[in-house]
Amino acid sequence: MNPKIRTPTTGDARSIRVALDAALYRSLAPSGEQYDSSSVSFLCDDRDYTIQMIVQNMVDAVVINESYLLVFSIVKPWYSKNRTILCEDLVLRIGKGSSFCDVIATMEHLAGINECDAIITGGALARSSRAITRLYQRFGF
């Protein structure tokens, strides 16, 4: 079964803000020493702007099963002459229900319809880089 996807709307702004705030806070979680800043919280210097970019469709983004927000880019890397990739820029859990399997299925679907040669994932907001790595590895990444 394919996940239900739609573009984000201004009605999603509050749930995106709550999820983004939580993810940025968790990304600062200490691992042996206290952190005042992470690279993502440093670079995300205006959360309202970030959210407006998403809900005004200024970036490629979808809401998956009313549970996840996926922000992505379809790009031809500067170092590649003939390859196109889907780059996962951000995944946020913005509601209950669904599972991460639906995020993977959506990325694979989007990569397919955009004729991408590969999918690149990240984990800049993950509390544990090892955990997100293991999660993606379970799905073949």
Side-chain angles (χ1 to χ4, degrees):
M1 180 175 198
N2 291 332
K4 182 181 173 194
I5 61 173
R6 64 172 177 81
T7 56
T9 66
T10 55
D12 297 309
R14 183 173 175 352
S15 59
I16 293 171
R17 177 60 186 248
V18 168
L20 182 62
D21 287 348
L24 288 169
Y25 177 77
R26 283 192 308 268
S27 74
L28 300 176
S31 59
E33 62 182 85
Q34 288 295 114
Y35 292 98
D36 291 332
S37 176
S38 69
S39 59
V40 177
S41 65
F42 173 75
L43 294 171
C44 186
D45 60 349
D46 186 338
R47 294 178 194 180
D48 292 329
Y49 169 81
T50 301
I51 294 162
Q52 288 305 307
M53 291 292 289
I54 295 167
V55 301
Q56 292 180 7
N57 301 308
M58 301 300 290
V59 295
D60 291 323
V62 293
V63 174
I64 305 164
N65 290 340
E66 303 302 322
S67 299
Y68 287 94
L69 171 71
L70 169 65
V71 180
F72 63 96
S73 304
I74 306 292
V75 298
K76 189 170 292 208
W78 64 268
Y79 49 84
S80 178
K81 186 175 180 182
N82 299 305
R83 304 283 185 220
T84 302
I85 61 168
L86 182 143
C87 180
E88 173 256 298
D89 297 324
L90 174 69
V91 175
L92 286 177
R93 186 168 189 82
I94 61 170
K96 295 181 180 181
S98 201
S99 73
F100 200 75
C101 295
D102 293 328
V103 174
I104 300 299
T106 300
M107 286 193 297
E108 290 174 343
H109 171 73
L110 292 169
I113 63 174
N114 287 286
E115 300 179 355
C116 294
D117 298 292
I119 299 171
I120 295 177
T121 61
L125 286 177
R127 185 172 185 171
S128 166
S129 60
R130 287 184 188 144
I132 195 70
T133 298
R134 283 193 305 271
L135 179 63
Y136 276 122
Q137 284 175 337
R138 271 188 259 156
F139 292 101
F141 290 85

